[in-house]
Amino acid sequence: MTGTTRTAWSTVPSEEERYRPLYARALGLRFVNPGGVLCFLFFEGAVALAALLALAELVSWWTVVVLPVAVAAMVKLNDVVAEWVVRSAALVPEQERDRFRRQMEPVVGRARVPRTVPGVVVATEPQRVPAWQRRQAQGPSEPRRPAGPGGHPADRP
C-alpha cells in the first residue's frame, strides 16, 4: 500500500491516545478531539434526551437506541469532513506557488523599463500643495451670504 498511513494525518499524538475518552477512541476520531464533558454530552446526553422523549410518548422506544447512534454518525462525519479540509488546506500553498510560477515566468526579464524620461522630473514623495493654490485652481467661490438678519458687517454692501 502506497501513500500515507491511517495515523499519519492524525492531530492526536499516539502517546496521548490512551488518555482520550472512550467515545472518541471507539469512533476512531482523528481530527475532532472532544474532551470528556463533550463526549459525555454526545453519548449520555443523547440517551437521556431519547429516554425523556420516549417517556413523554413523543417517540417510540427505538429512539433510545437510534438517537445515540445518529449522533455518533454525525460526529464521525464531522471528523471525516475535518480530514478533507486539512488535507486540501495542506495542498493550497504548493498549488498557489505553482500557479504563481506559471503566471510570472513569461513576463520576467522581457519588459525593458527606462530609468529616466527626458523632460520629466520624478519625485520620490508627493509634493504638498498649499491651500491657497488649491483654492485658486478651483476657481472663484460663491459670494458670501449674510449669516443672519443683520449679517456680517463685511458682507454688507
Side-chain angles (χ1 to χ4, degrees):
M1 176 172 136
T2 60
T4 60
T5 62
R6 183 179 186 275
T7 59
W9 282 88
S10 179
T11 59
V12 180
S14 59
E15 61 271 1
E16 293 181 13
E17 180 71 24
R18 63 181 171 175
Y19 298 113
R20 294 180 73 199
L22 178 63
Y23 187 79
R25 285 184 283 154
L27 290 177
L29 301 178
R30 294 179 293 166
F31 291 87
V32 176
N33 192 14
V37 174
L38 196 55
C39 288
F40 174 81
L41 288 176
F42 282 152
F43 184 69
E44 283 87 352
V47 170
L49 177 65
L52 284 174
L53 290 173
L55 286 172
E57 296 183 357
L58 295 174
V59 294
S60 72
W61 282 98
W62 280 105
T63 307
V64 177
V65 175
V66 172
L67 188 62
V69 171
V71 170
M74 296 278 61
V75 171
K76 184 61 180 178
L77 178 67
N78 191 2
D79 187 58
V80 170
V81 170
E83 179 181 4
W84 289 340
V85 168
V86 168
R87 286 180 188 250
S88 66
L91 297 176
V92 167
E94 184 178 332
Q95 291 172 349
E96 290 296 320
R97 187 174 51 243
D98 292 341
R99 184 179 302 132
F100 179 74
R101 286 180 183 155
R102 281 194 307 266
Q103 290 175 352
M104 295 305 293
E105 282 177 0
V107 177
V108 174
R110 293 190 180 181
R112 184 177 175 125
V113 180
R115 292 186 178 252
T116 60
V117 177
V120 176
V121 177
V122 179
T124 57
E125 295 180 8
Q127 186 178 9
R128 292 187 52 98
V129 178
W132 63 272
Q133 285 182 347
R134 282 192 303 248
R135 276 188 244 120
Q136 283 181 350
Q138 290 175 356
S141 62
E142 294 181 18
R144 298 173 121 188
R145 296 184 184 163
H152 192 272
D155 291 336
R156 292 185 191 145

